[in-house]
Amino acid sequence: MQCWPVESNLDFAARLGDVMYRFDKRHRIRALENLRRSFPDMPEAQREAMARRSMHMFFALFVEVLFTTRLAKLENVHRIVHLNEVSRTIELLLDEHRGVIMLTGHYGNWEILGYVLALLGFDTVSVARPLDNPYINDWLLGVRERLGQKIVDKKGATVDVSNALDNHGAVGFIADQNAGPKGMFVPFFGRLASTYKSIGLLAMQYRVPVVVGYARRVEGKFQFHVGASDVIYPEDWESQDDPLRYITERYTRGIETFVSEDPGQYLWVHRRWKTRPKGEKPED
């Protein structure tokens, strides 16, 4: 694949996404249904276009990760990553006296965020679930950790995450995963979604800010707009009656905000609303 320019590979990835949209009926139906419920006023033709673009990202993300170590260098990062209002985030990362929790969702190229932070000299600990295929997982882990980012399995992340925050470091999460029956149900695109409590509990325990960020790809190019839709400070939740719910609802709303700006870059086949509150019928 690296015999051809990255743009050619991204174009081919889009074509593969079109094939997937046409023949993978199960995922196509799920993506369209999630879009209908999330954007009830959106014209059906637009929803179909969003679902199709969403399926492009399966293959585009693979291409981008494959080319990341080759193309993303310190001397050219300014041409690859365009920063959108991240001054507060940089200030928090540079603050040696407090840690920070950084969140994103299954949107755009979430993999580039930790890689670019490591490229710029910021050490982060990111929590992730290992992929089912051990060979692909080992390859992806090598890319993620090449420049110093540390990846820890979410099942045993407590010690590494605690150490990072104890030492005023940065910890990263993908925060839009279904949390199962023990999660906190908060609104996400008009529907209650089971959401992990651990992020809010960590923020409260260590009294650290929470940054909700994204990496939105420039279609057809190895370029990304990186920004933060919200920064939640301890002063924001400490006056609330239910600080944990406040943090969880607010960071979920922050993810919804950047997804709404370009819904076609969200992983709509993702079973975000799989677990339902007690009394509601489970989703397929």
Side-chain angles (χ1 to χ4, degrees):
M1 291 174 65
Q2 294 195 359
C3 292
W4 288 272
V6 64
E7 291 82 7
S8 300
N9 281 277
L10 290 171
D11 180 67
F12 184 63
R15 295 174 188 271
L16 288 176
D18 289 337
V19 172
M20 180 180 178
Y21 180 82
R22 180 176 180 181
F23 292 104
D24 188 346
K25 181 179 178 181
R26 180 168 63 95
H27 286 105
R28 180 178 71 248
I29 291 174
R30 183 187 299 164
L32 286 170
E33 185 59 29
N34 282 334
L35 280 160
R36 288 188 189 104
R37 293 178 177 179
S38 301
F39 299 95
D41 299 326
M42 181 183 289
E44 184 65 13
Q46 186 177 352
R47 278 195 289 260
E48 291 177 357
M50 293 297 102
R52 185 185 296 272
R53 286 183 60 219
S54 178
M55 290 190 177
H56 291 177
M57 66 184 293
F58 279 105
F59 304 100
L61 186 64
F62 173 78
V63 169
E64 290 162 354
V65 172
L66 181 66
F67 278 83
T68 291
T69 56
R70 174 181 167 184
L71 297 182
K73 307 293 184 182
L74 186 60
E75 60 269 19
N76 69 348
V77 69
H78 63 285
R79 292 194 295 270
I80 294 172
V81 175
H82 310 285
L83 302 179
N84 300 334
E85 299 181 5
V86 295
S87 57
R88 288 189 297 171
T89 304
I90 298 299
E91 289 174 3
L92 292 173
L93 288 168
L94 291 172
D95 190 341
E96 298 180 354
H97 303 291
R98 74 191 310 181
V100 60
I101 294 174
M102 308 189 73
L103 310 179
T104 190
H106 289 89
Y107 179 82
N109 185 333
W110 57 87
E111 294 288 348
I112 201 72
L113 292 170
Y115 191 89
V116 168
L117 285 175
L119 186 66
L120 296 175
F122 297 110
D123 293 330
T124 59
V125 172
S126 296
V127 181
R129 182 185 72 83
L131 300 180
D132 295 332
N133 186 307
Y135 300 104
I136 297 178
N137 184 72
D138 289 346
W139 166 72
L140 181 58
L141 191 64
V143 174
R144 287 169 165 175
E145 295 191 329
R146 179 165 298 194
L147 297 180
Q149 179 185 197
K150 184 175 182 180
I151 306 297
V152 296
D153 188 333
K154 68 177 184 179
K155 292 183 179 179
T158 303
V159 173
D160 292 292
V161 167
S162 298
N163 287 340
L165 293 176
D166 279 332
N167 291 290
H168 312 299
V171 177
F173 296 88
I174 295 179
D176 64 339
Q177 296 172 320
N178 177 62
K182 295 183 179 180
M184 177 179 288
F185 287 92
V186 301
F188 186 56
F189 282 102
R191 286 183 288 161
L192 293 178
S194 178
T195 309
Y196 285 106
K197 303 174 185 176
S198 54
I199 293 170
L201 291 172
L202 281 169
M204 294 164 61
Q205 178 182 351
Y206 289 94
R207 205 174 181 273
V208 294
V210 179
V211 176
V212 186
Y214 61 88
R216 182 178 298 123
R217 63 170 51 90
V218 177
E219 298 288 341
K221 298 181 180 180
F222 189 78
Q223 294 181 23
F224 311 92
H225 289 279
V226 171
S229 61
D230 197 6
V231 180
I232 312 169
Y233 293 93
E235 296 82 3
D236 297 334
W237 70 70
E238 288 176 339
S239 61
Q240 302 297 319
D241 293 334
D242 188 343
L244 179 58
R245 178 165 292 278
Y246 175 86
I247 297 169
T248 309
E249 287 184 345
R250 185 164 161 183
Y251 81 64
T252 301
R253 189 165 61 249
I255 294 173
E256 182 177 323
T257 296
F258 65 68
V259 171
S260 297
E261 293 174 353
D262 188 353
Q265 296 205 33
Y266 191 60
L267 193 64
W268 290 106
V269 301
H270 179 44
R271 302 182 70 184
R272 180 65 185 94
W273 296 271
K274 176 183 177 181
T275 302
R276 308 309 309 140
K278 188 176 180 179
E280 285 192 23
K281 181 183 176 180
E283 292 194 1
D284 294 332

